[in-house]
C-alpha cells in the first residue's frame, strides 16, 4: 500500500474508534462522550470502520503497523508510525489499561518525558522581567509586577466582546493574506465558567469558549483569538479539509484534532499564531509572549511533579503560583487537567508543540516560507516529522 492508502485506512480506523468510544455508557467513557476526534470535517467521505470490541481495533492497527513499516524512509513514514503508535496507546486506555504517565506523554502525546529544563523557565522569567521594567513595572517581585501589569491592562468584562471583535477582524485579515483564505468563516464569543481550560475552539458550534473566571489583557485575548481561530485551530481545520478535498493531502490530514500526537503541532500552531501572522505590536504583546512561555513550560513541569513524582497537590499549586505567576482559576484548572486519566498528559502538548513550531519557523528562509505554511496547514504532522522540514510529511 502507498502512504495515501495507509492514511485512508488510518482515518477509517480512527473514526471507528471515535464512534466506538462515543457509544460507551457514561460511566465507562474515558473521554466523557466527546470521542477520540472532537472535531472532524470528513463527514461520510471516508466511512468509519464498524467495531464492537477492542480486539478488532487492535488487529486493524497491527496491520497498519506492518504496512507503514514497509514505506521508504521519509517524514511521511515517521508521521504515520508515530500516529499509529499514538492511536494504539489510546486504544489500550479506552480498553481499560492504565499506562504510566510517562508512557502517555511519550507514546500518546509525542512529547518529551520529564520536567522542562529549569534554566529555560528562568531564561523566560528573565526576559519577562526585562520587558516589564521597560514598560514601567519596576516595583516589587516579578510575580507582583506581573499581577500589577495584568490588573492595569485587564479588559473590563463588559468590553471583552468589543475587543474580541476588533482582534478577530485584524487576525482574519492577516490570516487570509498570509496563511489561508478563510472565506466567510467566523466565530462568536461564548463566555463560560468553571472550566479547566482558558479558551476552547468549539468549531462545530461556531463559538470560541472563553473562561470568564479569568481576567484578560488585550495581549492575552489576542493570543487566544490567534490560537483558537485565526490562524490557529479553525484555520487549520479549514485548510486541511480544503487540501484533502483537492486531492493534495492524504485523508489523515482530517485527523488533526485527534487526541493523539497531532495535538502537539496543532497546539504549536495556535501558540505561535501571533508570530505566524506578524501580529506582535507592542511591549504588552512581548510581555504576554514571555509570560506564556513561562506558564507553558511550568505547567509541563507541574504535571510531571504531580503525576510522576507524587508531589503533594498543594505544593504543585504553590509552584504554579510562584514560578508561573498564574491566576488562581488557572492554577486550579491546570491541576484538574493534569490529573485527568486521559487528558492529563496533553498538558505537555502546548510546550512541546510551541517549541517545535517555533524552532522550525525561526529557521525557515523567506524562500521556504510558502512550503512551510503548506506543510503546517495542508498536512497532519507530528513533532518529529515537522522537525524534518524542508522535507514534508505529505
Amino acid at each position: 500500500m502507498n502512504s495515501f492508502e495507509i492514511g485512508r485506512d488510518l482515518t477509517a480506523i480512527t473514526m471507528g474508534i471515535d464512534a466506538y468510544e462515543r457509544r460507551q455508557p457514561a460511566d465507562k467513557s474515558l473521554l466523557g462522550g466527546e470521542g477520540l476526534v472532537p472535531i472532524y470535517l470528513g463527514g461520510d467521505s471516508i466511512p468509519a470502520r464498524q467495531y464492537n470490541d477492542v480486539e478488532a481495533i487492535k488487529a486493524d492497527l497491527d496491520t497498519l503497523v506492518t504496512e507503514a513499516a514497509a514505506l521508504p524512509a521519509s517524514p511521511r513514514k515517521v508521521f504515520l508510525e508515530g500516529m499509529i503508535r499514538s492511536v494504539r496507546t489510546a486504544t489500550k486506555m479506552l480498553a481499560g489499561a492504565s499506562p504510566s504517565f510517562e508512557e502517555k506523554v511519550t507514546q500518546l502525546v509525542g512529547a518529551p518525558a520529564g520536567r522542562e529544563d529549569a534554566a529555560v523557565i528562568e531564561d523566560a522569567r528573565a526576559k519577562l522581567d526585562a520587558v516589564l521594567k521597560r514598560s514601567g513595572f519596576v516595583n516589587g517581585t516579578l510575580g507582583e509586577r506581573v499581577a500589577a501589569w495584568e490588573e492595569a491592562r485587564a479588559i473590563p468584562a463588559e468590553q471583552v466582546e468589543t475587543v474580541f471583535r476588533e482582534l478577530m477582524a485584524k487576525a482574519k485579515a492577516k490570516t487570509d493574506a498570509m496563511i489561508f483564505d478563510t472565506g466567510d468563516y467566523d466565530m462568536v464569543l461564548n463566555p463560560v465558567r468553571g472550566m479547566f481550560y482558558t479558551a476552547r475552539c468549539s468549531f462545530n458550534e461556531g463559538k470560541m469558549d472563553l473562561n470568564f473566571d479569568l481576567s484578560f489583557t488585550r495581549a492575552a485575548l489576542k493570543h487566544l483569538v490567534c490560537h483558537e481561530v485565526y490562524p490557529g485551530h479553525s484555520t487549520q481545520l479549514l485548510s486541511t479539509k480544503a487540501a484533502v478535498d483537492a486531492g493534495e493531502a492524504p485523508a489523515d490530514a482530517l485527523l488533526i484534532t485527534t487526541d493523539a500526537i497531532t495535538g502537539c503541532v496543532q497546539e504549536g500552531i495556535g501558540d505561535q499564531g501571533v508570530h505566524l501572522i506578524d501580529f506582535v505590536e507592542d511591549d504588552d504583546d512581548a510581555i504576554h509572549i514571555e509570560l506564556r512561555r513561562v506558564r507553558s513550560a511550568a505547567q509541563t513541569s507541574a504535571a510531571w511533579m504531580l503525576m510522576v513524582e507524587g508531589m503533594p497537590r498543594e505544593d504543585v499549586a504553590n509552584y504554579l503560583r510562584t514560578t508561573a505567576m498564574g491566576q488562581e482559576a488557572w492554577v486550579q484548572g491546570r491541576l484538574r487537567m493534569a490529573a485527568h486519566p486521559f487528558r492529563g498528559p496533553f498538558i505537555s502538548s502546548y510546550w512541546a508543540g510551541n517549541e517545535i513550531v517555533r524552532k522550525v519557523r525561526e529557521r525557515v528562509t523567506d524562500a521556504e516560507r510558502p512550503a512551510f505554511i503548506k506543510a503546517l496547514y495542508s498536512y497532519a504532522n507530528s513533532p518529529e516529522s515537522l522537525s524534518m522540514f524542508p522535507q514534508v510529511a505529505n
Side-chain angles (χ1 to χ4, degrees), residues 68 101 212 373 376-377:
F101 191 80
F212 267 52
I373 295 301
L376 276 182
Y377 283 91

Side-chain angles (χ1 to χ4, degrees), residues 258-328:
T258 307
D259 289 321
I261 60 167
T262 48
C264 274
V265 175
Q266 182 192 32
E267 300 300 351
I269 291 171
D271 274 0
Q272 285 288 299
V274 294
H275 301 284
L276 289 166
I277 59 172
D278 193 22
F279 202 9
V280 180
E281 299 174 293
D282 52 31
D283 276 352
D284 281 346
D285 286 339
I287 288 169
H288 185 264
I289 287 166
E290 294 304 331
L291 181 57
R292 182 167 45 79
R293 279 179 58 79
V294 171
R295 288 174 174 168
S296 181
Q299 72 181 16
T300 300
S301 293
W304 195 264
M305 295 171 189
L306 183 71
M307 303 305 297
V308 178
E309 298 172 8
M311 187 179 289
R313 190 181 192 278
E314 189 58 23
D315 289 353
V316 179
N318 282 330
Y319 167 78
L320 287 173
R321 293 177 187 123
T322 56
T323 300
M325 301 161 289
Q327 297 175 44
E328 190 60 24

Side-chain angles (χ1 to χ4, degrees), residues 27-241:
D27 60 341
K28 294 183 179 180
S29 173
L30 193 60
L31 295 174
E34 292 188 0
L36 188 62
V37 188
I39 306 170
Y40 178 70
L41 302 187
D44 297 326
S45 61
I46 299 174
R49 296 271 177 96
Q50 298 298 309
Y51 294 116
N52 295 315
D53 59 76
V54 172
E55 292 309 310
I57 298 172
K58 290 180 178 178
D60 282 354
L61 289 171
D62 288 345
T63 299
L64 279 190
V65 169
T66 302
E67 292 168 346
L71 293 173
S74 66
R76 176 68 175 157
K77 179 177 182 177
V78 166
F79 167 71
L80 285 171
E81 289 185 331
M83 184 65 171
I84 295 165
R85 181 169 59 248
S86 178
V87 173
R88 288 176 95 183
T89 304
T91 300
K92 291 179 190 175
M93 296 172 66
L94 297 178
S98 299
S100 68
F101 191 80
E102 178 174 357
E103 184 179 348
K104 293 175 190 177
V105 168
T106 58
Q107 304 298 305
L108 175 65
V109 180
R115 296 190 189 191
E116 186 44 57
D117 186 348
V120 171
I121 298 175
E122 286 309 309
D123 177 68
R125 283 169 57 90
K127 291 176 179 175
L128 174 61
D129 175 72
V131 71
L132 278 167
K133 287 178 177 175
R134 190 170 73 212
S135 298
F137 293 86
V138 296
N139 297 319
T141 65
L142 182 60
E144 288 169 344
R145 284 182 286 132
V146 165
W149 174 77
E150 289 188 317
E151 182 178 358
R153 300 292 193 268
I155 305 169
E158 66 274 13
Q159 296 178 21
V160 170
E161 172 79 27
T162 300
V163 178
F164 169 77
R165 291 311 325 172
E166 172 215 335
L167 292 169
M168 284 280 284
K170 290 182 177 180
K172 176 176 170 54
K174 285 177 168 287
T175 296
D176 288 354
M178 300 175 68
I179 305 291
F180 176 80
D181 186 348
T182 58
D184 60 359
Y185 183 79
D186 189 25
M187 265 192 171
V188 299
L189 186 67
N190 182 43
V192 295
R193 290 187 180 274
M195 302 299 178
F196 65 79
Y197 54 80
T198 302
R200 185 175 68 172
C201 169
S202 290
F203 182 92
N204 293 333
E205 289 77 39
K207 297 177 180 179
M208 190 185 102
D209 303 330
L210 186 68
N211 189 346
F212 267 52
D213 290 335
L214 300 163
S215 66
F216 299 95
T217 64
R218 183 179 186 276
L221 190 57
K222 178 195 289 188
H223 161 71
L224 293 171
V225 164
C226 290
H227 186 109
E228 306 296 340
V229 194
Y230 310 117
H233 299 338
S234 293
T235 302
Q236 192 188 11
L237 281 159
L238 294 168
S239 60
T240 48
K241 184 177 189 303

